């Protein structure tokens, strides 16, 4: 069996080795392509529309992982599936953040470290988002209009 052998530049005899993608980068690319489909798409369609040469089995693996993370849904069509995004890239990042937080025993310490490491601009954005979320929970009648006397 002939396998490519390494070269001094870190590549193979067939050409330079491509840089490895960062964690989650492939998932983001697959989600971006899937969203561009405008509806359910097959894994083959996703593979054709991705930049680079990813094997069909790699695309299936990524889609399956996204399904396990609830970032995509799938529907049986014949002997295979069609895939639909259930989340955008921001939703996938938020899901990863929640999974990390859920895996820690001291949530308060993790959140405190996270907030203390934010840039001033991101801290202001987070405060504004938390304020909007609190306002939405309070509803139009105030903090707890369910306790208001009926009259």
């Amino acid at each position: 069996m002939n396998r490519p052998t390494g070269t001094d530049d870190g590549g193979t005899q067939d050409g330079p080795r491509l840089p490895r993608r960062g964690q989650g980068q492939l998932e983001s690319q697959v989600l971006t392509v899937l969203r561009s489909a405008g509806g359910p798409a097959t894994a083959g369609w996703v593979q054709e529309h991705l930049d680079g040469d990813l094997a069909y089995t790699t695309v299936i693996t990524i889609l399956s992982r996204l399904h396990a993370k609830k970032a995509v849904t799938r529907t049986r069509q014949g002997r295979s599936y069609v895939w639909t995004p259930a989340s955008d890239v921001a939703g996938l990042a938020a899901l990863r953040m929640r999974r990390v937080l859920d895996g820690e025993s001291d949530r308060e310490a993790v959140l405190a470290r996270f907030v203390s490491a934010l840039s001033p601009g991101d801290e202001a954005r987070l405060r504004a988002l938390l304020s909007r979320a609190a306002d939405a929970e309070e509803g139009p009648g105030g903090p707890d209009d369910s306790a208001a006397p009926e009259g």
Side-chain angles (χ1 to χ4, degrees):
M1 173 157 47
N2 292 336
R3 292 186 179 175
T5 57
T7 61
D8 290 341
D9 66 357
T12 67
Q13 288 178 345
D14 296 330
R17 189 174 285 163
L18 296 173
R20 289 188 60 90
R21 292 174 179 93
Q23 183 178 10
Q25 190 175 4
L26 273 178
E27 290 177 350
S28 294
Q29 289 174 350
V30 167
L31 274 177
T32 299
V33 167
L34 199 54
R35 278 195 316 280
S36 75
T42 64
W45 186 92
V46 172
Q47 179 192 22
E48 289 173 17
H49 289 83
L50 280 169
D51 294 331
D53 293 326
L54 285 183
Y56 179 80
T57 54
T58 302
V59 174
I60 288 290
T61 299
I62 295 165
L63 286 166
S64 297
R65 287 180 180 164
L66 288 169
H67 182 258
K69 296 176 181 180
K70 299 185 183 345
V72 298
T73 60
R74 66 183 183 192
T75 306
R76 176 79 66 185
Q77 188 174 62
R79 291 178 23 180
S80 61
Y81 291 104
V82 291
W83 306 83
T84 307
S87 179
D88 58 10
V89 174
L92 182 59
L95 181 62
R96 284 195 304 262
M97 292 166 67
R98 266 195 315 276
R99 284 190 14 230
V100 167
L101 186 60
D102 289 346
E104 297 298 324
S105 59
D106 191 349
R107 295 173 75 92
E108 186 172 338
V110 173
L111 287 169
R113 292 281 176 102
F114 175 76
V115 170
S116 68
L118 291 174
S119 69
D122 284 343
E123 184 178 344
R125 283 183 198 92
L126 181 57
R127 288 183 189 282
L129 289 168
L130 289 170
S131 177
R132 274 189 264 165
D135 290 346
E137 283 182 14
E138 291 175 1
D144 188 8
D145 64 345
S146 64
E150 293 186 32

